[in-house]
Each structure stands twice: as structure tokens, then as C-alpha cells.
Amino acid sequence: MSAPVQAPRGTFDVLPADARRRTLIEGAARKVLEAAGYERIETPAFESTELFARGVGEATDVVQKEMYTFDDGGGRSLTLRPEGTAPICRAYVGHGMHKLAQPVKLWYLGSYFRHEAPQAGRYRQFWQVGAEALGSDDPAVDAESIALLAELLAELGVRGLRLRLSSLGAHDTRAAYREELQAYLHAHADRLAAEVRARIELNPLRAFDSGDPGTQAVMADAPLLLDRLGDEDRAHFAAVRALLDDAGLAYEVDGTLVRGLDYYTRTVFEFTSDELGAQSGVGGGGRYDGLVEQLGGAPTPGMGWAAGVERIMLAAGDQPQALPPVDLYVAFVGAEHRRAAFRIAALARHAGLHAQLELAGRGLKGQLKHAGRLRARYVAILGDEGTALKDMETGEQRELEPDAVIAAVQRVGL
Ligand code: HAM
């Protein structure tokens, strides 16, 4: 026998018990987001590579080393989507959504792909639930978006949550700050980790993320972008904070908050959970006022977030979901009763019951045992002696006409 084929590293199967919990997450997302007028959108699992190179940023880890990129055989470079914001901006432009009432509010849930080193809470295919609002730079969009993620995480029982908040300001503020930070890093280069030093030109902000103690000591005194914001950006950030205060949402302003994607302007935020290990980010996002234009659309502000479904489940702890109940199990003794049994099970489902049929050729004893395992409320038994209905709670059994089975089961639910 040859060795069994293995699933690729960093991937996992969603088994039924897991799928039940995910259904719950999807339902909660729909409820929370649709109540605020967000509508579901889905984009393809792969896109042209250019979308992410232009949208996410050439200098980011995501684009530099984490993308699954392939040639489609016709000379086009395609990439499995590593994130959902750039694709949604592409769709916004491509479908002329600027003609709709603004902001256009969209939510999504799907799988994303990053070639990262797998560890607890970090996978190569993972699921995100996300929300994007395009077409308004009103600070209320930012605050509402953040509050919606807070509500969703609370609804799902995510524990140990902390919200970090910052503002990156406008593009030119960031460019000037970048130069200032680079000069600071060069001045202290001897105390920085080699990998941080190597990235001073490409991505100096990542120095704030370093786990190296020497680098951390240098970064404790580094200039912060938050202290360099222009008047308008400062006012925008103050308005966002005031709305969050009014909403009673606790947050920490953290000028060292770094996001891994380049498109952010103004508000950025991240929810972390103390329940998670090194990969503590449950969900995060921010404003991306230049992204649509960068992708060839008219200047359009945008704000949104994404949260990792697996990290939500890890941080919410084990909350096993019960199997749906089985109202009726249709057993039969003798193959000549299969057709009648099949018909009763089908009609019962049409009538709105959860009904299953014996499908594995078990004897009557085996069928009753299986019905017990499924926690079936009733078992109909079809055989040469007629039809019986067994109440699995009381153990009582009575004879009845086959056509009376469904009504009898339905009556009990009343
Ligand atoms: P992100 O922070 O890169 O943002 O990812 C969002 C969330 O996805 C993370 O907080 C984490 O929970 C989850 N995640 C990311 N990578 C992995 C992985 N390898 N394994 C498991 N979970 C992962 C974005 O993707 C932005 N598009 C968010 C956004 C939307 N910004 C504005 N709008």
C-alpha cells in the first residue's frame, strides 16, 4: 500500500463539529453587519498579481514573500488573494459603485492565502470575515466600523480583548515621517537587530514590531507619527475617539501600532486577545483613503477591517455546538419496506421535520441503537406486521397507519 496523501503544511480540514461553529460565526456576522446596512459581497479566490503589488504595497512582507503567485499558462501572473480589501476596491471601481449612494457598505467571509511559517493561529489558508465602507471620510464611518467589530467579537464570546488605536495621517505626513524615522534608525543602527537594519530603507515602520530587545530599547525613544499629524488629521482622529468614547468602547491610543499593509491612512486599529499566543491579533483594519485611486479609480475614501475566523474560535474557547435534533428516524425491517420508508422520510422533510432514513442495512436492533446515537425523538418502524411509532423519550410504542406517522410526530412538537 502506498503512503496516504497528506494535506499541505499550514492547511487544515474543517470537520463537521468545526463547521457548526463556523456557521454560527457567519450567522453572527450577518446579523451584526446587516443590521448596520452592510451587504454581502464575494470576490474571486485569485486575482491578477498586479492588484496586490499595487494595492497592498511592494515593500510589504505580504507582497515580498507571502503570496502564492503562479502563471496561468497563458503568460498572465495570478495570485491567490492574501487579503480582501484591494479586491473589493477593484470591484467597486469595476462595477461603477461610485454611482450608488455613498458610502457603499460591504461585508465578506472567505478564505485567504499567505505563505507564512505555520504556527498556532497562523495558517497558509485561513478564513477572514471583513467589512468595508467606501465613499465617505466621515469619522463616524471609522467609529461605527470599529464598534461593529467589537460587537461581533463580543457576540461570539471572544475573551481577553484589547483595542489599540492610532492614526497614520495623510500620505505626505507619512512620507516626511518616514524620512525622519529612517534618519533616527541610521543614527542608532549599531543597536538594531540585523534584520531591522536591513529594512531601514524598505520598511522602517516594521522596527516598531521587532521582538529584539536592543531594537525595542531604541524604538522606545523613536519619534512617533502620531505626534506629527497635520491639523485636519488630528481633528479627524479626535472625532473618531470622541465617538468611540460616546459608544463606551474602551481603547488604548498606541502610536507604535504598525499594520502589515501599506494602504492605510489616518485611523488604524487592532483587536488583540490575551487568550492567544504570539499571533494575538484577532482582527484589525483602518482607513485607506488613497487605495481606490491607486487602483485606477476616482479618489475615494475607504474604511474597514478583517478578523481571522480561526483566531476568533481560538480566543472564544471551546464552545461545541450540538448537532441539530432528529425529529424522526425511519427504520424498516425487510428490504420490501424500503420504498415506503424512503417516502415517509422524504415527506417528513417536506413537512419541515428533521428526518433520517436507515441507509446502512442494519438489523432492527442496530437501527434503534443508531437512532439513539442520533438522539432521534421518534422512530417509525415499518415491517410485515405494520407500522409502529416509538417515542424514544418514554420508550412507548404504538401501532398506526403509515400515513399517520408525520402528523403524529408533528403533534408532539405543538
Ligand atoms: P490583516 O491584519 O493582515 O488585515 O488580517 C486581518 C486578520 O486576519 C488578522 O487580524 C488575523 O486574525 C487574520 N490573519 C491574517 N493572517 C493570518 C494567517 N496567516 N493565519 C490565520 N489568520 C490570519 C487585512 O487583511 C486587511 N485586509 C484588513 C482590512 C480591511 N483593512 C481595511 N479593511
Side-chain angles (χ1 to χ4, degrees):
M1 227 165 46
S2 51
V5 178
Q6 306 285 330
R9 236 164 75 73
T11 69
F12 52 85
D13 297 306
V14 175
L15 297 178
D18 211 12
R20 289 200 290 278
R21 290 186 66 200
R22 285 164 184 263
T23 303
L24 212 74
I25 294 177
E26 179 170 352
R30 175 174 299 114
K31 189 179 106 190
V32 169
L33 293 167
E34 293 189 355
Y38 282 74
E39 291 185 283
R40 179 94 181 236
I41 183 170
E42 288 303 338
T43 59
F46 56 84
E47 296 271 359
S48 70
T49 302
E50 184 194 359
L51 174 67
F52 302 112
R54 273 168 67 177
V56 172
E58 295 275 12
T60 60
D61 281 353
V62 169
V63 170
Q64 286 232 318
K65 47 187 188 197
E66 294 173 3
M67 298 208 302
Y68 285 95
T69 294
F70 55 97
D71 186 296
D72 75 345
R76 282 169 295 264
S77 178
L78 301 180
T79 290
L80 294 180
R81 57 182 180 183
E83 66 99 48
T85 309
I88 284 176
C89 290
R90 173 197 53 68
Y92 178 92
V93 174
H95 296 282
M97 290 192 221
H98 63 279
K99 290 186 222 120
L100 305 174
Q102 307 292 301
V104 175
K105 295 181 284 187
L106 303 165
W107 77 276
Y108 51 96
L109 186 133
S111 58
Y112 294 82
F113 308 84
R114 293 184 194 176
H115 187 269
E116 296 191 81
Q119 64 180 80
R122 189 160 77 191
Y123 314 98
R124 290 179 170 173
Q125 178 178 2
F126 56 96
W127 268 254
Q128 280 187 348
V129 53
E132 315 287 351
L134 289 122
S136 166
D137 64 1
D138 192 311
V141 173
D142 306 44
E144 184 174 79
S145 168
I146 296 170
L148 288 169
L149 178 53
E151 191 183 332
L152 176 61
L153 296 176
E155 168 110 8
L156 292 169
V158 176
R159 301 165 301 170
L161 276 177
R162 288 198 311 145
L163 168 58
R164 293 195 299 151
L165 184 70
S166 190
S167 175
L168 302 179
H171 220 74
D172 45 352
T173 315
R174 269 175 81 180
Y177 167 76
R178 199 183 144 95
E179 284 181 19
E180 183 185 355
L181 182 63
Q182 281 168 335
Y184 177 82
L185 292 172
H186 280 303
H188 298 86
D190 52 330
R191 292 164 62 202
L192 298 175
E195 53 162 29
V196 173
R197 214 170 343 170
R199 293 173 71 82
I200 294 179
E201 298 311 322
L202 199 59
N203 201 345
L205 277 160
R206 285 319 285 239
F208 284 109
D209 257 0
S210 169
D212 167 64
T215 306
Q216 284 178 345
V218 172
M219 298 318 286
D221 295 323
L224 292 178
L225 178 50
L226 202 51
D227 299 326
R228 302 286 184 273
L229 300 185
D231 290 345
E232 276 184 38
D233 294 333
R234 202 189 308 277
H236 190 274
F237 190 46
V240 173
R241 290 198 321 263
L243 289 165
L244 290 176
D245 291 339
D246 291 348
L249 209 65
Y251 58 84
E252 233 171 89
V253 173
D254 181 351
T256 70
L257 177 60
V258 179
R259 303 271 309 138
L261 312 160
D262 263 0
Y263 46 62
Y264 293 110
T265 51
R266 294 189 161 175
T267 312
V268 285
F269 73 98
E270 204 156 80
F271 281 94
T272 56
S273 166
D274 302 334
E275 297 291 318
L276 301 176
Q279 301 304 315
S280 63
V282 180
R287 190 162 268 294
Y288 45 89
D289 291 345
L291 180 54
V292 170
E293 194 178 2
Q294 214 168 306
L295 296 175
T300 308
M303 164 78 204
W305 49 258
V309 170
E310 295 76 30
R311 294 199 194 163
I312 289 176
M313 298 206 304
L314 284 170
D318 250 343
Q319 297 183 346
Q321 291 306 305
L323 278 171
V326 176
D327 303 309
L328 176 66
Y329 192 84
V330 187
F332 58 94
V333 184
E336 63 277 22
H337 298 290
R338 178 185 290 115
R339 288 176 68 177
F342 187 95
R343 187 169 161 272
I344 289 178
L347 287 174
R349 287 191 292 267
H350 280 302
L353 295 174
H354 287 199
Q356 295 191 33
L357 169 74
E358 168 61 20
L359 293 171
R362 278 174 275 251
L364 182 59
K365 213 170 133 197
Q367 294 185 57
L368 288 171
K369 192 168 157 202
H370 186 56
R373 252 195 315 256
L374 295 172
R375 298 181 189 282
R377 182 68 180 79
Y378 283 91
V379 180
I381 304 163
L382 280 62
D384 290 343
E385 294 86 56
T387 301
L389 188 65
K390 185 177 170 83
D391 183 328
M392 297 292 277
E393 251 172 39
T394 63
E396 276 167 33
Q397 187 167 320
R398 65 186 169 101
E399 308 283 314
L400 76 185
E401 289 302 314
D403 288 347
V405 166
I406 293 169
V409 173
Q410 276 175 326
R411 255 197 307 281
V412 185
L414 297 177

